[in-house]
Amino acid sequence: MTDWGEDALAELRAAAFRGDGGAGVEVLRARPLGPVLQYAGDVLAAAVRQRADDAERLARKCLEELDGRGRPGDAELAAELAAVLGSPRERAALTPAPVDLAALGAALEGDPGEAWVVDLRRGDVLPALDLVDEPAFDPEGSEYDPGRWLGFWPGGPHPRDAADFASAVEDEDLRARLLAAHARDRFAEEVEPVLGRWRFFLEERRRGRARHWLAGQGYRPVPRPFL
């Protein structure tokens, strides 16, 4: 089975962004789903709807792995997959919103003192200060559209991410160095040999947490429109 490299990850991201199920199946077919379940679930749901070859088999495998992992966002994505596979699960009704999950996931872990806003029409995730001159964001203006905006305050980074990543590193010496560095708040100094893997590990977790947070606000992500 082929492992994940930067080029394959870029193809998977692009397929998820475009909602291109066929392209997603091609990049997923010969690779493990486990490291990329949050992206895989999105592209495989699209692939099943688009009746792409091999989509249903991969979607069922992805659903099984999401159920088995059970991290934030996995249940919400599993429900999406189960529905397109013809076995809908009981869940609250969620409004579709074209939100950039990667941007939202990163922003949710930003500075807790800086307010952020999700543009539910365009899918952008922006610091609230960037919108001070936007007429549709001005509550006193005639163009104000309160249903377009979803504001939040970030909660800061999740300290368990680095420890969980380090614990899963196969090389014993590197694993020990990473864990020791994490304990001393110097993780970034030691992660360089596996920096690409760490970034994608973090991206996967943030994507799931963003999906989970959105569901708590009453929304589910859908591909963004091409503007």
Side-chain angles (χ1 to χ4, degrees):
M1 182 172 284
T2 308
D3 206 349
W4 287 97
E6 287 298 323
D7 289 345
L9 292 172
E11 291 176 23
L12 183 61
R13 289 188 190 100
F17 180 81
R18 299 191 307 267
D20 187 341
V25 166
E26 287 303 312
V27 72
L28 288 166
R29 184 179 281 125
R31 293 179 172 86
L33 298 179
V36 298
L37 287 175
Q38 280 290 320
Y39 276 109
D42 281 329
V43 297
L44 290 171
V48 172
R49 294 189 190 99
Q50 296 159 11
R51 300 185 179 183
D53 290 344
D54 213 20
E56 185 169 329
R57 178 186 68 82
L58 288 170
R60 293 191 184 283
K61 180 173 174 55
C62 184
L63 177 58
E64 180 181 354
E65 293 196 29
L66 285 166
D67 284 338
R69 186 173 71 172
R71 292 203 56 80
D74 288 350
E76 291 83 0
L77 184 52
E80 292 281 336
L81 270 180
V84 300
L85 287 168
S87 302
R89 300 177 176 182
E90 185 175 345
R91 59 172 176 165
L94 300 174
T95 302
V99 178
D100 183 338
L101 285 180
L104 176 59
L108 285 169
E109 297 180 18
D111 182 351
E114 182 179 14
W116 284 71
V117 178
V118 179
D119 183 340
L120 295 169
R121 181 186 301 169
R122 297 172 58 93
D124 297 325
V125 183
L126 304 163
L129 288 176
D130 287 5
L131 294 167
V132 292
D133 295 323
E134 169 58 59
F137 190 64
D138 180 5
E140 306 300 323
S142 60
E143 298 181 43
Y144 179 56
D145 182 358
R148 179 175 172 179
W149 313 105
L150 180 61
F152 64 93
W153 294 91
H158 286 249
R160 283 298 314 171
D161 287 342
D164 290 347
F165 175 80
S167 297
V169 170
E170 297 87 353
D171 183 281
E172 293 184 8
D173 290 340
L174 180 57
R175 181 169 67 244
R177 293 202 309 272
L178 288 172
L179 288 170
H182 173 62
R184 302 193 310 271
D185 290 326
R186 302 181 73 172
F187 182 79
E189 297 176 14
E190 294 288 347
V191 77
E192 186 66 31
V194 285
L195 185 59
R197 287 175 55 193
W198 161 241
R199 286 174 174 168
F200 197 76
F201 175 92
L202 192 58
E203 186 177 345
E204 169 78 1
R205 288 213 165 175
R206 285 175 171 174
R207 191 173 178 87
R209 286 191 289 255
R211 190 187 307 274
H212 180 69
W213 181 85
L214 266 184
Q217 312 305 310
Y219 297 94
R220 61 179 179 86
V222 295
R224 299 178 68 190
F226 293 99
L227 299 175

